[in-house]
Amino acid sequence: MKRVLMIAYHFPPLAGSSGIQRTLRFVQHLPALGWQPLVLSTHPRAYENTGTDLLAEVPPDTVVRRAFALDTARHLQVAGRYLGWMARPDRWISWKYAAVREGLKMINEFKPDAIWSTYPIATAHVIASALQRKSGLPWIADFRDPMAQDDYPADLRTRQMFRDIEADVAAHAHCCVFTTPGAARIYQQRFPDAAQRMQVLENGYDEESFASAPPPPSHAPQVAQRPLVMLHSGIVYPSERDPTQLFAALGQLKRSGTLTPDDLRIRFRASVHDDLLRTLAQAQDAQDFIELCPAIAYREALAEMMAVDALLVMQASNCNAQIPAKIYEYLRAGRPILALTDPAGDTADVLRRAGLHDIARLDSVDEITQVLPRLVRDWRAGKTELPQALAVEQASRRGRSRVLADLLVQATTARSSTVGTR
């Protein structure tokens, strides 16, 4: 069996981020495809929130090494402040130094055939680049989403550092992987000499996790006797998933008598920003439409997705080249999905390809006031759109892992050919 050194900040026992699922499911499925994962992650002290529910899903024979790391914002601040250079390219740059040493030990001990690193913690790519230069191993860089953007990061020095890291990756990685076609296109245009080495490998859902999730309640009140319950599961980012116009639409529908809280309840599960949502909803007189609920264990969250009447995804137009990882679990849950997003973006495209068309712009009160009553009417009439079976099947993590295994084989084969011609 071949081996791959996987450098990932997002790994159990980190809690509260859907980004964990990508690395964790690759670790689960790659052994059956001929690849043994060797995980290099951070010490748990670097995680702001931890939980034990996903630790049991790491295969017991997986090699996991954790290098010293601190979170600059929590561990190195004085009176609530810290120096900017201590958090570039991110707050976990301290991870780099011990991780490079530990990575070299793992390379010497286990003789991996390739290196894989994953964003959105940019330091992971910094570590992988150093290890690639020292070892000569082929490197697959998993960008997921775009790093440097026109207005992100806000700090100009950090943005420039992101661009420097991108250029280094484009120059030295065997393959650059993105979770959306839009993100891949951005980088193909940004680095045309590396365009042929840019690949799309979408996120997905884990069938085994759904199979072992608690069953939904067997008895529910009749549709005519209760409101439609719509779930937004996960973080609500104040910019990228700003619900202000949604709440404004709810307030407008309430004042016109078109919808009442007896017709619709929107449940925000583990939003991380409950206080902000509460304030925004009260400002629009929409507080009676919403429920703010705490985080729950992963499988319980999946069970909730399958039990509610509809699912809500929010994605601003400045994220058109990104797709929330939760989308694929939403598809597998088999419920109607309302997407408040730009129809021209990758998120909307994924849903349309799955046969779902309840889409309105996140920043358009008019469009939202049109789609919400229609969705409630269709639900009461039993006419809501459900994800198509083929689209659901194609989104499994097992299938995504096969794509990664193929990329690893291509990388190691190319290296062997190059070495053999020297």
Side-chain angles (χ1 to χ4, degrees), residues 171-194:
H172 297 103
H174 172 82
C175 181
C176 300
V177 174
F178 302 89
T179 56
T180 70
R185 284 193 298 271
I186 288 172
Y187 281 83
Q188 287 167 345
Q189 295 167 5
R190 190 173 293 178
F191 302 104
D193 290 345

Side-chain angles (χ1 to χ4, degrees), residues 120-383:
I121 301 303
T123 295
H125 287 335
V126 175
I127 295 165
S129 179
L131 294 174
Q132 192 278 329
R133 290 194 304 272
K134 292 176 182 294
S135 68
L137 291 171
W139 169 27
I140 293 180
D142 189 41
F143 277 84
R144 305 194 193 192
D145 297 326
M147 286 181 55
Q149 301 170 53
D150 291 342
D151 57 355
Y152 180 85
D155 177 72
L156 294 179
R157 293 181 182 177
T158 304
R159 193 183 308 167
Q160 184 56 53
M161 187 170 285
F162 270 35
R163 293 196 180 280
D164 292 343
I165 293 170
E166 290 176 343
D168 177 71
V169 173
H172 297 103
H174 172 82
C175 181
C176 300
V177 174
F178 302 89
T179 56
T180 70
R185 284 193 298 271
I186 288 172
Y187 281 83
Q188 287 167 345
Q189 295 167 5
R190 190 173 293 178
F191 302 104
D193 290 345
Q196 296 303 313
R197 293 184 279 115
M198 307 287 183
Q199 302 284 337
V200 176
L201 203 175
E202 293 184 46
N203 281 308
Y205 69 88
D206 183 60
E207 180 59 33
E208 290 78 3
S209 295
F210 272 91
S212 59
S218 56
H219 299 289
Q222 294 294 319
V223 166
Q225 300 172 357
R226 62 180 179 86
L228 179 153
V229 177
M230 183 186 301
L231 171 69
H232 183 281
S233 185
I235 300 174
V236 177
Y237 297 103
S239 173
E240 295 86 351
R241 298 174 187 172
D242 179 5
T244 299
Q245 305 310 314
L246 167 62
F247 294 161
L250 289 169
Q252 185 172 313
L253 291 166
K254 178 181 178 181
R255 289 188 293 274
S256 68
T258 305
L259 284 182
T260 75
D262 291 331
D263 299 310
L264 174 66
R265 299 285 290 182
I266 302 180
R267 180 182 304 166
F268 291 91
R269 172 70 68 184
S271 79
V272 178
H273 298 285
D274 283 3
D275 290 342
L276 175 63
L277 297 187
R278 187 178 293 109
T279 299
L280 292 174
Q282 290 173 346
Q284 301 293 341
D285 192 25
Q287 66 271 20
D288 294 339
F289 285 97
I290 72 168
E291 303 173 1
L292 302 174
C293 302
I296 54 179
Y298 177 63
R299 280 182 169 76
E300 293 177 17
L302 298 182
E304 183 177 39
M305 291 179 199
M306 293 187 285
V308 296
D309 303 307
L311 298 162
L312 171 66
V313 59
M314 300 186 295
Q315 190 83 326
S317 59
N318 62 356
C319 296
N320 273 3
Q322 301 174 29
I323 301 171
K326 196 73 67 178
I327 278 286
Y328 304 96
E329 292 168 347
Y330 277 13
L331 291 175
R332 171 57 182 81
R335 312 307 301 148
I337 299 174
L338 170 62
L340 301 184
T341 191
D342 187 344
D346 284 345
T347 297
D349 185 58
V350 165
L351 295 175
R352 283 194 297 266
R353 286 189 279 116
L356 303 171
H357 300 90
D358 287 320
I359 299 170
R361 289 174 175 83
L362 179 60
D363 59 357
S364 174
V365 173
D366 289 343
E367 291 187 17
I368 298 172
T369 55
Q370 293 176 30
V371 73
L372 282 176
R374 183 175 71 241
L375 180 62
V376 172
R377 288 195 302 271
D378 289 347
W379 170 69
R380 293 202 185 282
K383 297 180 179 179

Side-chain angles (χ1 to χ4, degrees), residues 70-78 81-88 90-94:
L70 298 174
D71 177 351
T72 299
R74 290 186 297 119
H75 299 128
L76 300 177
Q77 57 89 12
V78 177
R81 300 176 66 86
Y82 55 86
L83 298 174
W85 64 265
M86 300 170 68
R88 294 192 186 106
D90 51 58
R91 290 159 36 193
W92 298 273
I93 184 58
S94 59

Side-chain angles (χ1 to χ4, degrees), residues 378-393:
D378 289 347
W379 170 69
R380 293 202 185 282
K383 297 180 179 179
T384 49
E385 296 176 330
L386 300 179
Q388 295 174 351
L390 180 59
V392 174
E393 180 183 347

